[in-house]
Amino acid sequence: MFSLGGSETGKKILAAAAPNLTPVVLELGGKNPAVVLPDANQQLVAEKIARGRSGNSGQICLDVDYAMVPANQLTDYIHLIVEQLEQAFPTYSDNPEYSAIINDAAYKRITGMLVEAQQRGTQLLTINPNHDAVPDATKRLIPLTLAINSDPDLQIAKNEIFGPILSIFTYETLDEAIAFINTHEKSLAMYVFGKNKAQLNRVIRHTSSGGVDINELALHAGSHEMGFGGVGYSGMGRYKGGKVGFETFSNPKSVYKQGILAKYTTRFMVPIHNQRNEKRFKKMLGL
Protein backbone atom coordinates (compact mmCIF):
# COMPACT_ATOMS: atom_id res chain seq x y z
CA MET A 1 0.00 0.00 0.00
CA PHE A 2 1.21 3.47 -0.85
CA SER A 3 -0.10 6.72 0.60
CA LEU A 4 0.84 10.34 0.04
CA GLY A 5 -0.54 12.91 2.47
CA GLY A 6 -0.31 14.36 5.95
CA SER A 7 1.27 12.68 8.95
CA GLU A 8 -1.99 12.33 10.91
CA THR A 9 -3.67 10.63 7.95
CA GLY A 10 -0.61 8.41 7.62
CA LYS A 11 -1.09 7.19 11.19
CA LYS A 12 -4.65 6.10 10.40
CA ILE A 13 -3.57 4.28 7.23
CA LEU A 14 -0.79 2.47 9.08
CA ALA A 15 -3.21 1.42 11.82
CA ALA A 16 -5.71 0.12 9.26
CA ALA A 17 -2.99 -1.88 7.49
CA ALA A 18 -1.60 -3.44 10.67
CA PRO A 19 -4.32 -6.12 11.28
CA ASN A 20 -3.65 -7.57 7.82
CA LEU A 21 0.14 -7.14 8.02
CA THR A 22 -0.04 -5.10 4.82
CA PRO A 23 3.29 -3.43 3.98
CA VAL A 24 2.94 0.33 3.70
CA VAL A 25 4.97 3.08 2.07
CA LEU A 26 4.08 6.48 3.47
CA GLU A 27 5.24 9.72 1.87
CA LEU A 28 4.09 12.35 4.32
CA GLY A 29 5.09 15.93 5.05
CA GLY A 30 6.38 17.90 7.97
CA LYS A 31 7.86 21.27 8.82
CA ASN A 32 10.59 21.42 6.19
CA PRO A 33 13.26 23.89 7.38
CA ALA A 34 15.55 26.08 5.32
CA VAL A 35 18.76 26.96 7.12
CA VAL A 36 20.37 30.07 5.67
CA LEU A 37 24.04 30.39 6.56
CA PRO A 38 25.65 33.83 7.01
CA ASP A 39 27.60 33.57 3.75
CA ALA A 40 24.63 32.60 1.56
CA ASN A 41 23.72 34.60 -1.53
CA GLN A 42 20.84 36.66 -0.13
CA GLN A 43 19.18 37.52 -3.42
CA LEU A 44 19.26 33.93 -4.66
CA VAL A 45 18.03 32.50 -1.36
CA ALA A 46 15.14 34.97 -1.16
CA GLU A 47 14.11 34.21 -4.73
CA LYS A 48 14.16 30.44 -4.28
CA ILE A 49 12.35 30.41 -0.94
CA ALA A 50 9.74 33.02 -1.89
CA ARG A 51 8.95 31.53 -5.29
CA GLY A 52 9.01 28.00 -3.96
CA ARG A 53 6.74 28.73 -1.01
CA SER A 54 4.18 30.61 -3.09
CA GLY A 55 3.71 27.78 -5.61
CA ASN A 56 0.24 26.23 -5.27
CA SER A 57 -0.26 28.57 -2.30
CA GLY A 58 2.21 26.58 -0.25
CA GLN A 59 0.28 23.34 -0.64
CA ILE A 60 3.25 21.19 -1.65
CA CYS A 61 4.75 18.59 0.67
CA LEU A 62 8.31 19.66 -0.16
CA ASP A 63 7.75 23.38 0.38
CA VAL A 64 9.85 25.32 2.87
CA ASP A 65 7.70 25.53 5.99
CA TYR A 66 10.04 27.85 7.86
CA ALA A 67 13.34 29.59 7.23
CA MET A 68 16.09 30.17 9.76
CA VAL A 69 18.20 33.23 9.02
CA PRO A 70 21.02 34.97 10.91
CA ALA A 71 19.53 37.54 13.29
CA ASN A 72 21.59 40.40 11.84
CA GLN A 73 20.27 39.63 8.33
CA LEU A 74 16.55 39.41 9.16
CA THR A 75 15.64 42.84 7.77
CA ASP A 76 17.46 42.13 4.51
CA TYR A 77 15.66 38.83 4.00
CA ILE A 78 12.24 40.23 4.83
CA HIS A 79 12.73 43.01 2.28
CA LEU A 80 13.98 40.62 -0.43
CA ILE A 81 11.30 37.98 0.13
CA VAL A 82 8.49 40.56 0.13
CA GLU A 83 9.90 41.99 -3.08
CA GLN A 84 9.88 38.58 -4.73
CA LEU A 85 6.33 37.78 -3.61
CA GLU A 86 4.98 41.12 -4.81
CA GLN A 87 6.52 40.49 -8.22
CA ALA A 88 5.16 36.96 -8.40
CA PHE A 89 1.62 37.84 -7.31
CA PRO A 90 0.76 41.53 -7.68
CA THR A 91 -2.91 40.57 -7.30
CA TYR A 92 -4.95 37.63 -5.96
CA SER A 93 -8.53 38.17 -7.07
CA ASP A 94 -9.28 36.57 -10.43
CA ASN A 95 -5.60 35.70 -10.82
CA PRO A 96 -5.38 32.31 -12.61
CA GLU A 97 -1.77 31.95 -11.43
CA TYR A 98 -2.70 32.00 -7.74
CA SER A 99 -4.09 28.82 -6.20
CA ALA A 100 -7.05 28.56 -3.89
CA ILE A 101 -6.89 26.50 -0.70
CA ILE A 102 -7.98 22.94 -1.44
CA ASN A 103 -11.12 22.82 0.76
CA ASP A 104 -13.04 24.63 3.49
CA ALA A 105 -11.47 22.62 6.30
CA ALA A 106 -7.96 23.54 5.18
CA TYR A 107 -9.01 27.18 4.75
CA LYS A 108 -10.33 27.33 8.33
CA ARG A 109 -7.22 25.62 9.67
CA ILE A 110 -4.81 28.06 7.99
CA THR A 111 -6.79 31.20 8.82
CA GLY A 112 -7.11 29.89 12.37
CA MET A 113 -3.33 29.73 12.60
CA LEU A 114 -3.09 33.35 11.49
CA VAL A 115 -5.74 34.53 13.95
CA GLU A 116 -3.99 32.77 16.84
CA ALA A 117 -0.62 34.21 15.84
CA GLN A 118 -2.04 37.71 15.54
CA GLN A 119 -3.75 37.50 18.92
CA ARG A 120 -0.46 36.46 20.48
CA GLY A 121 1.40 39.42 19.03
CA THR A 122 3.33 37.67 16.27
CA GLN A 123 4.66 40.04 13.62
CA LEU A 124 2.69 39.16 10.47
CA LEU A 125 3.47 40.73 7.10
CA THR A 126 0.68 40.25 4.58
CA ILE A 127 1.82 40.56 0.96
CA ASN A 128 -1.11 42.26 -0.75
CA PRO A 129 0.18 45.01 -3.07
CA ASN A 130 -3.17 45.45 -4.85
CA HIS A 131 -5.15 45.59 -1.57
CA ASP A 132 -7.43 42.77 -2.68
CA ALA A 133 -10.27 41.66 -0.41
CA VAL A 134 -8.46 38.64 1.02
CA PRO A 135 -8.72 36.35 2.91
CA ASP A 136 -11.79 35.39 0.90
CA ALA A 137 -13.70 32.43 2.34
CA THR A 138 -15.92 32.11 -0.75
CA LYS A 139 -13.00 31.66 -3.12
CA ARG A 140 -10.77 30.16 -0.39
CA LEU A 141 -8.02 32.68 -1.12
CA ILE A 142 -5.45 33.49 1.55
CA PRO A 143 -2.76 36.10 0.84
CA LEU A 144 0.90 35.20 1.16
CA THR A 145 2.01 36.02 4.68
CA LEU A 146 5.29 36.13 6.57
CA ALA A 147 5.27 35.23 10.27
CA ILE A 148 8.34 36.51 12.11
CA ASN A 149 9.69 34.75 15.21
CA SER A 150 6.37 33.37 16.40
CA ASP A 151 6.18 31.78 19.85
CA PRO A 152 7.16 28.09 19.70
CA ASP A 153 3.87 26.91 21.26
CA LEU A 154 1.70 28.44 18.52
CA GLN A 155 0.13 26.21 15.88
CA ILE A 156 1.97 28.11 13.17
CA ALA A 157 5.28 27.13 14.80
CA LYS A 158 4.43 23.58 15.89
CA ASN A 159 2.43 22.09 13.02
CA GLU A 160 2.98 21.78 9.31
CA ILE A 161 1.39 24.85 7.72
CA PHE A 162 0.75 23.52 4.19
CA GLY A 163 -0.48 26.90 3.06
CA PRO A 164 0.61 30.39 1.94
CA ILE A 165 2.45 31.27 5.15
CA LEU A 166 6.22 31.38 5.53
CA SER A 167 7.56 31.42 9.07
CA ILE A 168 10.92 33.09 9.57
CA PHE A 169 13.00 32.51 12.69
CA THR A 170 16.34 34.04 13.59
CA TYR A 171 19.40 32.48 15.16
CA GLU A 172 22.61 33.79 16.69
CA THR A 173 24.72 30.63 16.40
CA LEU A 174 24.46 27.62 14.12
CA ASP A 175 24.13 25.29 17.12
CA GLU A 176 21.07 27.30 18.14
CA ALA A 177 19.52 26.78 14.70
CA ILE A 178 20.24 23.04 14.78
CA ALA A 179 18.76 22.70 18.25
CA PHE A 180 15.60 24.49 17.10
CA ILE A 181 15.20 22.14 14.14
CA ASN A 182 15.62 19.11 16.39
CA THR A 183 12.75 20.22 18.61
CA HIS A 184 10.42 19.35 15.73
CA GLU A 185 9.54 15.99 14.21
CA LYS A 186 11.76 14.80 11.37
CA SER A 187 10.82 16.51 8.13
CA LEU A 188 10.43 15.22 4.59
CA ALA A 189 13.08 17.65 3.35
CA MET A 190 15.64 20.11 4.62
CA TYR A 191 17.31 22.91 2.71
CA VAL A 192 20.66 24.48 3.51
CA PHE A 193 21.96 27.60 1.79
CA GLY A 194 25.54 28.77 2.02
CA LYS A 195 29.14 28.21 0.96
CA ASN A 196 30.99 27.15 4.10
CA LYS A 197 31.44 23.38 3.72
CA ALA A 198 32.10 22.80 7.40
CA GLN A 199 28.87 24.56 8.37
CA LEU A 200 26.87 22.85 5.62
CA ASN A 201 28.10 19.44 6.78
CA ARG A 202 27.42 20.32 10.40
CA VAL A 203 23.78 21.02 9.69
CA ILE A 204 23.40 17.84 7.65
CA ARG A 205 25.17 15.61 10.19
CA HIS A 206 23.32 16.89 13.24
CA THR A 207 19.78 16.86 11.87
CA SER A 208 17.56 14.16 10.37
CA SER A 209 15.23 14.43 7.40
CA GLY A 210 14.05 12.42 4.42
CA GLY A 211 16.43 14.28 2.12
CA VAL A 212 18.57 17.41 1.86
CA ASP A 213 19.18 19.99 -0.86
CA ILE A 214 22.16 22.35 -0.73
CA ASN A 215 21.47 25.74 -2.34
CA GLU A 216 18.38 24.35 -4.05
CA LEU A 217 14.81 23.24 -3.36
CA ALA A 218 13.17 19.82 -3.81
CA LEU A 219 15.46 18.43 -6.50
CA HIS A 220 16.59 15.54 -4.31
CA ALA A 221 13.13 14.04 -4.87
CA GLY A 222 14.18 13.10 -8.39
CA SER A 223 17.09 10.92 -7.27
CA HIS A 224 17.19 7.67 -9.26
CA GLU A 225 19.78 6.08 -7.00
CA MET A 226 18.33 6.43 -3.50
CA GLY A 227 14.68 6.99 -4.29
CA PHE A 228 12.54 9.46 -2.40
CA GLY A 229 10.82 9.26 0.95
CA GLY A 230 10.62 10.49 4.51
CA VAL A 231 11.84 9.33 7.90
CA GLY A 232 9.94 9.00 11.15
CA TYR A 233 7.03 11.45 11.24
CA SER A 234 7.55 12.34 7.57
CA GLY A 235 7.10 8.80 6.32
CA MET A 236 8.65 5.41 5.70
CA GLY A 237 9.93 3.56 2.67
CA ARG A 238 11.34 4.96 -0.56
CA TYR A 239 9.96 5.01 -4.05
CA LYS A 240 10.65 6.57 -7.47
CA GLY A 241 13.83 6.02 -9.36
CA GLY A 242 14.21 2.82 -11.38
CA LYS A 243 15.54 -0.01 -9.26
CA VAL A 244 14.60 1.57 -5.91
CA GLY A 245 10.98 2.03 -6.92
CA PHE A 246 10.78 -1.44 -8.46
CA GLU A 247 12.15 -3.09 -5.32
CA THR A 248 9.83 -1.09 -3.06
CA PHE A 249 6.73 -2.38 -4.83
CA SER A 250 8.01 -5.92 -5.41
CA ASN A 251 8.30 -8.98 -3.21
CA PRO A 252 11.63 -10.76 -3.75
CA LYS A 253 11.22 -14.53 -3.43
CA SER A 254 14.22 -16.77 -2.88
CA VAL A 255 14.33 -20.13 -4.70
CA TYR A 256 16.97 -22.77 -3.87
CA LYS A 257 17.53 -25.90 -5.91
CA GLN A 258 19.59 -28.65 -4.34
CA GLY A 259 22.23 -30.48 -6.38
CA ILE A 260 24.54 -33.38 -5.73
CA LEU A 261 24.64 -32.79 -1.96
CA ALA A 262 20.96 -33.68 -1.49
CA LYS A 263 21.52 -37.02 0.25
CA TYR A 264 24.20 -35.63 2.55
CA THR A 265 22.37 -32.55 3.81
CA THR A 266 19.29 -34.56 4.78
CA ARG A 267 21.39 -37.23 6.50
CA PHE A 268 23.41 -34.83 8.58
CA MET A 269 20.80 -32.19 9.36
CA VAL A 270 18.23 -34.50 10.96
CA PRO A 271 18.49 -34.99 14.73
CA ILE A 272 21.89 -36.50 15.58
CA HIS A 273 21.66 -39.75 17.53
CA ASN A 274 25.28 -40.88 17.67
CA GLN A 275 28.79 -39.50 17.92
CA ARG A 276 29.71 -40.65 14.39
CA ASN A 277 27.05 -38.48 12.79
CA GLU A 278 27.97 -35.64 15.06
CA LYS A 279 31.62 -35.79 13.95
CA ARG A 280 30.61 -35.92 10.26
CA PHE A 281 28.31 -32.97 10.71
CA LYS A 282 30.96 -30.89 12.45
CA LYS A 283 33.54 -31.82 9.80
CA MET A 284 31.17 -30.80 7.01
CA LEU A 285 30.68 -27.40 8.70
CA GLY A 286 34.38 -27.00 9.37
CA LEU A 287 33.91 -27.07 13.15
Side-chain angles (χ1 to χ4, degrees), residues 3-16 24 26 28 236:
S3 174
L4 185 154
S7 299
E8 295 306 312
T9 301
K11 290 180 182 179
K12 296 176 182 178
I13 291 172
L14 192 60
V24 177
L26 299 176
L28 307 176
M236 60 181 65

Side-chain angles (χ1 to χ4, degrees), residues 25 225-226 238-252:
V25 175
E225 295 182 0
M226 285 192 63
R238 293 188 172 271
Y239 69 107
K240 290 186 178 182
K243 183 181 178 182
V244 174
F246 178 80
E247 290 177 342
T248 295
F249 298 107
S250 301
N251 177 40

Side-chain angles (χ1 to χ4, degrees), residues 58-274:
Q59 300 170 106
I60 301 173
C61 63
L62 285 169
D63 271 345
V64 174
D65 187 286
Y66 65 97
M68 303 209 67
V69 304
N72 61 355
Q73 297 180 9
L74 174 61
T75 302
D76 294 335
Y77 276 109
I78 289 176
H79 172 76
L80 291 170
I81 290 173
V82 168
E83 184 180 73
Q84 288 292 325
L85 293 176
E86 287 180 340
Q87 291 176 8
F89 297 102
T91 183
Y92 299 110
S93 300
D94 301 318
N95 185 345
E97 299 297 324
Y98 192 72
S99 301
I101 304 304
I102 189 169
N103 55 38
D104 290 337
Y107 179 89
K108 291 178 181 177
R109 178 183 60 81
I110 297 168
T111 53
M113 286 183 173
L114 290 170
V115 169
E116 181 193 43
Q118 185 178 40
Q119 291 175 344
R120 290 281 295 274
T122 302
Q123 182 185 358
L124 299 177
L125 297 178
T126 302
I127 317 303
N128 188 8
N130 195 48
H131 305 290
D132 292 322
V134 287
D136 184 336
T138 303
K139 296 181 179 180
R140 298 196 303 274
L141 294 177
I142 299 175
L144 296 161
T145 304
L146 305 185
I148 314 301
N149 282 325
S150 59
D151 291 340
D153 63 325
L154 294 179
Q155 296 300 311
I156 204 171
K158 293 193 301 183
N159 298 328
E160 180 183 7
I161 297 172
F162 207 71
I165 305 169
L166 174 66
S167 291
I168 301 178
F169 297 95
T170 58
Y171 68 89
E172 296 290 346
T173 68
L174 191 56
D175 285 343
E176 179 185 336
I178 292 171
F180 183 88
I181 291 169
N182 289 334
T183 62
H184 297 90
E185 297 284 359
K186 297 176 181 179
S187 60
L188 184 61
M190 184 178 68
Y191 307 111
V192 192
F193 294 90
K195 304 171 186 176
N196 187 301
K197 291 183 179 179
Q199 291 185 330
L200 291 170
N201 289 333
R202 183 168 182 78
V203 174
I204 295 169
R205 286 199 311 268
H206 294 279
T207 59
S208 179
S209 59
V212 179
D213 287 64
I214 299 175
N215 295 319
E216 194 49 86
L217 297 178
L219 293 188
H220 73 279
S223 170
H224 290 289
E225 295 182 0
M226 285 192 63
F228 169 63
V231 57
Y233 203 72
S234 59
M236 60 181 65
R238 293 188 172 271
Y239 69 107
K240 290 186 178 182
K243 183 181 178 182
V244 174
F246 178 80
E247 290 177 342
T248 295
F249 298 107
S250 301
N251 177 40
K253 179 173 67 176
S254 62
V255 177
Y256 178 83
K257 181 180 179 181
Q258 181 57 279
I260 60 175
L261 297 178
K263 63 180 182 179
Y264 298 106
T265 54
T266 302
R267 182 178 303 168
F268 295 132
M269 293 180 69
V270 297
I272 299 170
H273 301 292
N274 55 60

